[in-house]
């Protein structure tokens, strides 16, 4: 390359004839000349023209301004002049617009100032209107309170210390409540105080059976009506039997009558006294026969017609389980309905007094019955029943002779064998015959009552032959729902009658019989409660309210204001309801104290759990503080302000319904999981219609001293428990002042819209459990037992109470009415309390629970493992279900395919559940 370049350069020099240096000098000179011309010549020309312009004067200027637009005559500047004129016009227009806008801005500023003054004035007017509305509402509430005062526990009225006495009755046989009972000592608001004489304070107390005395003392100690002040007592209770077998002679009727009149509060005629004779045997001495009891009522299991005063005396059951609880594991199930024998009867007729093993005192009613021979119906009964047995149409068992005859009264049917042997036969019997005494003078007897007791205990439906007999508490109990009462002349049609009953009818009677036995007859405590309830119901005194469980609060420090979980607060355009800014609103109480006792007597005594009887609230169970309003709910009464919820936004914003103002209480059980608990409490911040949160602290260790509890704007009550028990979840704490309870675990994770939807559904079904996670029970054919199943299913029978609404009434029933054996098993396994609550509610209502939304789990992500993650968890729940079935005698859980969703609330439907039928 270099060589070729050199050749081209050398060739150029030779062809041009001039050296390249000269060419370069020429080019430099030309460049200089061009620069001089282009720079200095314009400068010189400018200077020259300027000098000429200044010398010619203002009229001869070339570049200066000229008058009259002479400059525009030049062609080269005409275009510039046109542009100038156009710009000038535009500037003038812009200036005019600027001035116009400035004027508009000034006018708007004046309007803004006027609006501000109007807003301030409107704010003052609004504040005044709010004050007027507040005063008007206060005045309205005062007027309503004057016309419809809020009911509460009435003031207790007690009798006067001085007893004026009553006019003497025409005869002892004519005694009735209206003539022999002093109502003045028992005002409606007295609380029904009962004074019990000490058995050691009267002379014949040493003759009483020690076991009966001990059982009676234990029952008295646990009864809430007992008082130690005799001056305010409405009723006086005296235990007169059963007598123990002793060689010492018992006082004669005259001596016993004298000792009764010597009682310190007998007041000459014994009014408002009850002489109680409890017996454990099939035969007992009727020690009050031929004894003038004056105006004192008699409660015993054996009565002669001449002795019994209808509507005044009480027929009671024998005291079989004196100091022991019934063993539910030994009681057969109520299903299958039909058992081995269609009916059974074992007994031997006592012909006369000589065949009786009882040595009666002189002038006893046994001797008087000798002169009244019985009719021949008993012979006809024997022949008819033997004919049915010999026909082999149905398997029956009838025995009219006994190897081991129990002592009995004349003309009645004596019991055979030992109690255990009789129960084994009854367990295999569909019906059990209870034949009344042959002599109509014997109204009832302890042997008759013992047969009835044993039949009800093991689920054999009693068939009473003899309509003249008085069954226990017959004025209060509708015995036709639990037993067949057949006149003796219809014994020939008995077989046809028993075969005609359907399985459903027999099961209903068996369940009602079990209810009566378990509620009124099973224990000594129940017997005493039933006697007192009978008298209290007769004189129409309302029951005393059950004392709520006192909440021992644990002091705690509130920390910073709780925030709102973004996941829980993201409700879209849903208005879930107002967050309460006023003090918590408690549910009204004590609305039906008197009417419940006066108007619902029969219903109260005979309400076996069933679809038409919401609660088995018997007279044994005192009135619950919130019960009355619940029983009266849904009657169609709509208070002022109700029914605001229509559709869309109205439905979302208003609670609506017949009880528009109502709140619920969250009851949260926890055990040493402080961080999880705090997170759960924070998630409740901003939840509408929440009254308060009750935290059941189930650990013996108190919370940490430095633990800061979230401030959610509502009370958080931390309750200390005596022991670690899952049953504490369902204690009726006095801190719970609402009917609705949301039972929730400390690790449950629910959105606000789900909780509000569940609350709305519960308000439409207040007698049901309404919750989120569903479970069901299944029958294991291979092992012939029940199983607990938590798999996803379109059918369910339980709702877990770790996230469920229920009525506070069920907390009372769970803690005070449900058999203690169930609560003991919950404590033993530390499990199954939710299953126990589902059993209880289904047993009471005969309805399944209600599941809302599509949730099957509710645990929060990342929380520590709970008890349910233990391997033995499901195995224990299998055992619980089978044990609960034995206690109740049948499977009370009911299946349902019903699930409630709402198009107005969020719901998450799993992709694998689209085949389930969904009811909206």
């Amino acid at each position: 390359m270099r060589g070729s370049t050199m050749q081209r350069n050398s060739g150029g020099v030779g062809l041009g004839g001039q050296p390249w240096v000269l060419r370069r000098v020429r080019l430099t000179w030309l460049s200089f000349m061009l620069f001089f011309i282009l720079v200095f010549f314009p400068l010189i020309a400018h200077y020259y023209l300027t000098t000429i312009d200044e010398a010619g004067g203002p009229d001869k200027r070339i570049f200066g301004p000229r008058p009259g637009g002479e400059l525009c005559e030049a062609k080269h500047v005409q275009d510039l002049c046109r542009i100038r004129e156009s710009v000038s016009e535009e500037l003038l227009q812009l200036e005019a617009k600027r001035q116009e806008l400035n004027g508009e801005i000034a006018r708007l500023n004046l309007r803004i100032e006027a609006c501000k003054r109007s807003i301030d004035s409107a704010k003052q007017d609004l504040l005044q209107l709010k004050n007027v509305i507040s005063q008007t509402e206060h005045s309205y509430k005062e007027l309503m309170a004057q016309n419809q005062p809020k009911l509460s526990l009435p003031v207790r009225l007690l009798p006067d210390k001085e007893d004026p006495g009553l006019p003497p009755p025409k005869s002892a046989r004519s005694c009735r409540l209206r003539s022999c009972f002093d109502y003045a000592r028992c005002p409606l608001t007295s609380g029904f105080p009962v004074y019990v004489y000490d058995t050691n304070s009267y002379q014949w107390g040493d003759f009483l059976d020690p076991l009966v005395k001990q059982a009676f003392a234990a029952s008295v100690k646990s009864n809430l009506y007992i008082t130690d002040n005799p001056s305010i007592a409405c009723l006086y209770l005296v235990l007169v039997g059963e007598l123990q077998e002793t060689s010492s002679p018992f006082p004669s009727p005259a001596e016993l009558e004298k000792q009764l009149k010597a009682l310190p509060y007998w007041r000459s005629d014994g009014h408002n006294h009850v002489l109680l004779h409890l017996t454990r045997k099939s035969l007992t001495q009727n020690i009050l026969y031929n004894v003038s009891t004056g105006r004192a009522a008699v409660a015993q299991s054996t009565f002669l017609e001449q002795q019994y005063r209808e509507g005044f005396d009480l027929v009671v059951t024998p005291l079989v389980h004196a100091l022991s609880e019934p063993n539910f594991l030994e009681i057969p199930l109520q299903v299958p309905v039909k058992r081995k024998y269609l009916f059974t009867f074992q007994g031997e007729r006592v012909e006369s007094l000589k065949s009786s093993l009882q040595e009666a005192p002189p002038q006893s009613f046994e001797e008087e019955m000798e002169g009244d021979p019985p009719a021949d119906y008993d012979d006809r009964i024997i022949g008819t029943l033997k004919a049915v047995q010999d026909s082999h149409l149905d398997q029956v068992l009838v025995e009219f002779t006994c190897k081991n005859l129990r002592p009995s009264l004349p003309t009645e049917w004596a019991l055979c064998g030992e109690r255990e042997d009789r129960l084994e036969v009854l367990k295999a019997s569909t019906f059990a015959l209870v034949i009344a005494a042959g002599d109509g003078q014997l109204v009832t007897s302890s042997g008759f009552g013992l047969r009835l007791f044993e039949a009800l205990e093991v689920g054999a439906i009693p068939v009473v032959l003899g309509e003249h007999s008085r069954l226990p508490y017959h004025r209060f109990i509708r015995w036709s729902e639990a037993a067949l009462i057949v006149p003796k002349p219809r014994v020939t049609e008995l077989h046809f009658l028993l075969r005609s009953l359907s399985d459903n009818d027999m099961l209903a009677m068996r369940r009602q019989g079990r209810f009566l036995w378990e509620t009124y007859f099973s224990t000594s405590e129940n017997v005493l409660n039933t006697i007192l309830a009978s008298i209290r119901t007769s004189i129409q005194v309302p029951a005393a309210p059950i004392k709520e469980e006192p909440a021992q609060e644990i002091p705690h420090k509130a920390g910073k204001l709780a925030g709102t979980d973004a996941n829980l607060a993201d409700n879209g355009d849903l208005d879930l309801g107002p967050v309460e800014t006023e003090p918590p609103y408690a549910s009204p109480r004590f609305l039906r104290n008197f009417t419940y006792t006066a108007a619902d007597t029969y219903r109260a005594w005979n309400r076996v759990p069933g679809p038409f009887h919401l609660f088995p609230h018997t007279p044994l169970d005192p009135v619950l503080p919130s019960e009355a309003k619940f029983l009266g709910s849904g009657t169609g009464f709509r208070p002022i302000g109700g029914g605001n919820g229509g559709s869309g936004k109205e439905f979302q914003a208003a609670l609506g319904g017949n009880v528009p103002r109502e709140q619920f209480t969250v009851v949260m059980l926890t055990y040493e999981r402080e961080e999880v608990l705090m997170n759960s409490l924070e998630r409740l911040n901003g939840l509408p219609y929440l009254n308060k949160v009750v935290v059941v602290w189930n650990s013996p260790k108190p919370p940490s001293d430095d633990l800061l509890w979230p401030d959610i704007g509502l009370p958080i009550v931390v309750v200390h428990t005596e022991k670690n028990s899952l049953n504490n979840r369902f204690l009726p704490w006095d801190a719970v002042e609402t009917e609705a309870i949301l039972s929730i675990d400390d690790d449950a994770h629910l959105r606000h819209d789900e909780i509000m939807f569940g609350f709305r559904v519960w308000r439409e079904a207040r007698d049901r459990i309404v919750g989120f996670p569903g479970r069901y029970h299944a029958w294991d054919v291979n092992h012939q037992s029940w199983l607990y199943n938590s798999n996803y299913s379109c059918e369910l029978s339980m709702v877990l109470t770790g996230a469920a609404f229920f009525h506070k009434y069920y907390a009372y029933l769970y803690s005070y009415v449900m058999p203690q054996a169930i609560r003991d098993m919950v404590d033993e396994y530390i499990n199954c309390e939710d299953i126990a609550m589902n059993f209880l509610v289904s047993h009471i209502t005969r309805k399944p629970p209600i599941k809302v939304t599509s949730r099957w789990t509710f645990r929060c992500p990342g929380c520590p493992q709970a008890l349910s993650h233990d391997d033995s968890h499901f195995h224990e729940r299998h055992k619980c279900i089978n044990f609960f079935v034995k206690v109740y005698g049948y499977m009370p859980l009911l299946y349902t395919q019903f699930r409630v969703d709402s198009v107005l609330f969020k719901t998450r439907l799993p992709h694998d559940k689209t085949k389930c039928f969904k009811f909206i």
Side-chain angles (χ1 to χ4, degrees):
M1 289 298 290
R2 289 183 178 181
S4 62
T5 305
M6 291 293 291
Q7 290 177 1
R8 286 196 295 270
N9 292 337
S10 62
V13 174
L15 293 175
Q18 294 180 358
W20 63 279
V21 176
L22 294 177
R23 183 181 298 176
R24 185 173 183 180
V25 171
R26 189 183 299 167
L27 293 172
T28 301
W29 174 251
L30 290 174
S31 300
F32 176 77
M33 291 299 294
L34 289 172
F35 175 77
F36 180 80
I37 293 170
L38 295 174
V39 175
F40 289 96
F41 180 76
L43 293 176
I44 294 171
H46 182 272
Y47 174 77
Y48 173 73
L49 293 174
T50 304
T51 303
I52 295 175
D53 194 29
E54 291 177 354
D59 296 338
K60 296 182 179 180
R61 289 180 180 177
I62 299 174
F63 298 99
R66 296 184 180 185
E70 296 178 357
L71 183 61
C72 295
E73 296 178 358
K75 294 182 177 180
H76 62 278
V77 294
Q78 290 180 356
D79 294 338
L80 294 176
C81 289
R82 286 192 298 268
I83 293 174
R84 177 187 174 187
E85 293 176 356
S86 176
V87 171
S88 298
E89 292 178 359
E90 291 180 356
L91 289 175
L92 292 174
Q93 293 175 359
L94 290 175
E95 179 64 20
K97 289 183 177 180
R98 186 182 68 82
Q99 293 178 1
E100 183 181 355
L101 291 175
N102 287 335
E104 185 68 21
I105 290 173
R107 288 192 298 271
L108 291 176
N109 286 333
L110 293 176
R111 292 182 61 184
I112 289 173
E113 294 297 330
C115 290
K116 287 183 178 179
R117 290 192 296 270
S118 299
I119 291 174
D120 293 338
S121 178
K123 286 183 177 179
Q124 294 179 359
D125 294 340
L126 179 62
L127 182 59
Q128 292 178 359
L129 288 175
K130 287 183 177 179
N131 293 333
V132 172
I133 292 174
S134 178
Q135 294 175 1
T136 304
E137 290 180 348
H138 183 70
S139 301
Y140 173 76
K141 290 180 179 179
E142 289 182 349
L143 292 175
M144 292 296 294
Q146 294 176 3
N147 297 327
Q148 297 178 356
K150 183 178 179 181
L151 298 182
S152 60
L153 274 177
V155 178
R156 187 178 183 185
L157 300 178
L158 298 175
D160 297 332
K161 293 183 179 180
E162 296 182 1
D163 194 337
L166 294 174
K170 296 180 179 180
S171 65
R173 285 283 301 159
S174 62
C175 255
R176 298 295 183 268
L177 285 174
R178 62 182 180 272
S179 59
C180 291
F181 192 86
D182 185 6
Y183 282 85
R185 297 202 61 84
C186 304
L188 294 176
T189 59
S190 63
F192 192 62
V194 178
Y195 178 78
V196 179
Y197 285 93
D198 185 6
T199 55
N200 297 323
S201 63
Y202 39 83
Q203 298 180 11
W204 74 90
D206 297 335
F207 294 91
L208 299 179
D209 187 342
L211 188 60
V212 173
K213 290 173 59 176
Q214 187 177 356
F216 179 74
S219 302
V220 167
K221 187 177 181 181
S222 62
N223 193 279
L224 57 88
Y225 293 106
I226 303 302
T227 179
D228 295 332
N229 187 358
S231 61
I232 65 171
C234 163
L235 196 70
Y236 298 86
L237 204 58
V238 184
L239 182 65
V240 297
E242 176 177 47
L243 303 179
Q244 61 178 330
E245 297 179 359
T246 177
S247 58
S248 301
F250 186 76
S252 64
E255 294 176 352
L256 180 58
E257 182 177 337
K258 183 179 180 181
Q259 293 179 14
L260 287 175
K261 292 181 179 181
L263 292 175
Y265 308 104
W266 188 261
R267 297 184 178 93
S268 72
D269 57 2
H271 62 270
N272 291 39
H273 278 63
V274 175
L275 306 179
L276 180 59
H277 187 183
L278 300 177
T279 178
R280 298 187 301 112
K281 305 173 184 177
S282 60
L283 176 63
T284 182
Q285 292 184 2
N286 189 359
I287 60 175
L288 295 178
Y289 187 72
N290 285 333
V291 174
S292 177
T293 57
R295 284 192 170 98
V298 178
Q300 61 184 20
S301 57
T302 301
F303 276 105
L304 190 65
E305 185 178 6
Q306 292 82 357
Q307 178 187 13
Y308 180 68
R309 295 168 291 185
E310 183 68 42
F312 191 70
D313 294 329
L314 282 178
V315 178
V316 302
T317 55
L319 187 63
V320 179
H321 300 286
L323 292 175
S324 60
E325 293 286 337
N327 189 353
F328 291 100
L329 297 180
E330 297 180 356
I331 300 176
L333 299 178
Q334 298 183 26
V335 291
V337 177
K338 295 180 179 179
R339 298 177 177 176
K340 178 180 178 180
Y341 300 109
L342 176 63
F343 64 84
T344 59
F345 178 80
Q346 292 178 305
E348 183 174 339
R349 183 176 56 179
V350 180
E351 295 291 349
S352 63
L353 179 62
K354 296 180 180 179
S355 61
S356 173
L357 301 181
Q358 172 65 27
E359 294 182 1
Q363 297 182 349
S364 67
F365 75 103
E366 291 94 333
E367 290 181 340
E368 294 191 7
M369 290 173 58
E370 282 289 318
D372 187 7
D376 60 349
Y377 286 131
D378 289 350
D379 295 332
R380 188 182 305 177
I381 289 173
I382 295 175
T384 302
L385 297 182
K386 286 184 176 180
V388 173
Q389 185 177 25
D390 296 338
S391 66
H392 302 291
L393 294 176
D394 291 291
Q395 192 169 1
V396 299
L397 175 63
V398 290
E399 296 179 354
F400 299 105
T401 57
C402 299
K403 297 181 180 179
N404 185 9
L405 185 67
R406 311 304 301 173
S408 299
L409 293 174
T411 75
E412 75 166 344
W413 293 84
L415 293 169
C416 296
E418 300 296 334
R419 167 178 160 81
E420 292 75 13
D421 299 331
R422 296 194 300 271
L423 291 180
E424 289 300 322
V425 174
L426 292 174
K427 289 177 182 179
S429 307
T430 306
F431 296 94
L433 300 186
V434 181
I435 306 177
D439 195 310
Q441 297 185 50
L442 187 59
V443 174
T444 186
S445 66
S446 58
F448 178 87
L450 193 59
R451 284 186 182 274
L452 183 66
F453 181 95
E454 293 177 349
L456 295 174
E457 181 179 7
V458 297
I461 302 173
V463 179
V464 179
L465 284 176
E467 79 286 357
H468 63 279
S469 296
R470 294 291 185 267
L471 299 180
Y473 316 107
H474 60 277
R475 291 191 293 118
F476 308 99
I477 295 177
R478 189 178 293 118
W479 279 102
S480 59
E481 295 181 355
L484 289 175
I485 302 176
V486 182
K488 286 185 176 181
R490 291 196 180 274
V491 66
T492 56
E493 302 173 285
L494 180 63
H495 188 205
F496 166 77
L497 177 61
L498 299 183
R499 296 187 66 180
S500 65
L501 294 179
S502 66
D503 289 355
N504 290 336
D505 292 338
M506 289 189 290
L507 182 59
M509 297 180 71
R510 184 172 293 167
R511 291 184 60 250
Q512 175 72 4
R514 172 68 178 270
F515 165 73
L516 296 177
W517 173 82
E518 187 175 325
T519 306
Y520 302 119
F521 316 140
S522 57
T523 64
S524 59
E525 182 178 355
N526 288 348
V527 171
L528 177 61
N529 289 340
T530 306
I531 294 172
L532 297 182
S534 302
I535 301 173
R536 180 185 54 76
T537 305
S538 298
I539 62 177
Q540 298 182 337
V541 174
I546 288 180
K547 294 182 180 180
E548 298 178 297
E549 193 71 22
Q552 301 179 7
E553 297 188 31
I554 301 177
H556 58 281
K557 297 182 295 183
K560 63 179 182 179
L561 184 65
T564 303
D565 193 328
N567 296 326
L568 300 179
D570 183 17
N571 298 315
D573 60 349
L574 293 178
D575 184 5
L576 300 180
V579 179
E580 301 296 339
T581 57
E582 61 183 18
Y585 175 74
S587 299
R589 299 183 175 190
F590 309 110
L591 299 185
R592 293 191 65 208
N593 284 16
F594 178 73
T595 57
Y596 184 81
T597 303
D600 300 335
T601 299
Y602 239 120
R603 190 165 69 98
W605 276 82
N606 298 277
R607 272 188 300 178
V608 63
F612 301 104
H613 307 97
L614 294 182
F615 301 111
H617 176 82
T618 67
L620 302 187
D621 309 325
V623 172
L624 308 181
S626 60
E627 167 207 12
K629 180 176 183 293
F630 173 62
L631 292 175
S633 300
T635 58
F637 170 73
R638 175 166 291 180
I640 296 177
N644 294 327
S647 60
K649 289 289 186 180
E650 293 180 353
F651 172 76
Q652 297 172 14
L655 191 59
N658 296 317
V659 189
R661 192 184 183 193
E662 186 172 20
Q663 298 176 341
F664 63 91
T665 303
V666 168
V667 176
M668 185 177 296
L669 188 72
T670 187
Y671 185 89
E672 297 184 1
R673 295 198 296 182
E674 295 181 350
E675 182 179 358
V676 175
L677 175 63
M678 297 302 108
N679 293 334
S680 297
L681 292 176
E682 287 188 2
R683 288 194 291 269
L684 298 177
N685 185 39
L687 182 61
Y689 303 107
L690 179 59
N691 181 274
K692 70 176 64 172
V693 180
V694 177
V695 177
V696 182
W697 191 265
N698 223 22
S699 171
K701 296 171 53 179
S704 304
D705 295 334
D706 57 349
L707 181 63
L708 294 179
W709 296 70
D711 183 5
I712 62 174
L714 291 168
I716 298 179
V717 181
V718 186
V719 178
H720 171 71
T721 58
E722 296 181 357
K723 64 176 182 178
N724 176 22
S725 172
L726 294 180
N727 293 316
N728 295 332
R729 178 196 299 272
F730 301 125
L731 282 173
W733 302 105
D734 57 1
V736 178
E737 299 177 320
T738 60
E739 295 182 16
I741 294 178
L742 173 57
S743 174
I744 191 169
D745 288 342
D746 58 359
D747 58 354
H749 197 277
L750 295 174
R751 303 192 311 270
H752 285 186
D753 61 293
E754 294 175 321
I755 295 177
M756 287 312 305
F757 179 56
F759 181 49
R760 289 174 180 267
V761 173
W762 176 85
R763 283 167 47 84
E764 301 293 332
R766 306 171 74 90
D767 60 334
R768 313 275 280 276
I769 298 179
V770 176
F772 300 89
R775 300 293 186 264
Y776 67 96
H777 66 289
W779 179 252
D780 185 356
V781 178
N782 296 329
H783 297 86
Q784 293 294 298
S785 62
W786 293 102
L787 297 177
Y788 172 84
N789 202 315
S790 63
N791 296 330
Y792 290 91
S793 172
C794 298
E795 195 169 50
L796 60 100
S797 60
M798 292 176 282
V799 167
L800 300 186
T801 55
F805 284 93
F806 62 89
H807 199 282
K808 187 180 179 181
Y809 186 92
Y810 294 123
Y812 292 97
L813 297 182
Y814 184 98
S815 303
Y816 302 138
V817 178
M818 187 179 70
Q820 181 64 36
I822 296 179
R823 294 190 293 271
D824 293 340
M825 191 167 195
V826 170
D827 288 335
E828 178 182 356
Y829 285 155
I830 317 180
N831 199 343
C832 307
E833 86 286 356
D834 49 356
I835 301 178
M837 177 58 82
N838 277 271
F839 265 70
L840 174 66
V841 177
S842 295
H843 173 66
I844 297 299
T845 64
R846 301 307 301 136
K847 298 177 183 177
I850 296 178
K851 173 176 168 53
V852 293
T853 76
S854 57
R855 273 186 177 267
W856 282 86
T857 59
F858 53 84
R859 302 296 180 187
C860 62
C863 291
Q865 288 189 350
L867 295 173
S868 59
H869 292 86
D870 193 349
D871 294 337
S872 61
H873 176 73
F874 285 94
H875 183 64
E876 292 173 349
R877 292 173 87 80
H878 299 329
K879 291 184 177 179
C880 287
I881 285 184
N882 288 280
F883 178 77
F884 296 166
V885 168
K886 291 182 180 179
V887 173
Y888 282 100
Y890 74 111
M891 169 53 75
L893 297 179
L894 299 173
Y895 293 106
T896 180
Q897 298 178 4
F898 181 82
R899 195 188 83 202
V900 181
D901 292 313
S902 175
V903 294
L904 296 179
F905 284 85
K906 294 181 178 180
T907 181
R908 297 175 181 177
L909 186 63
H911 65 279
D912 57 343
K913 294 295 168 294
T914 56
K915 294 182 180 180
C916 291
F917 289 98
K918 180 173 67 173
F919 298 86
I920 299 178

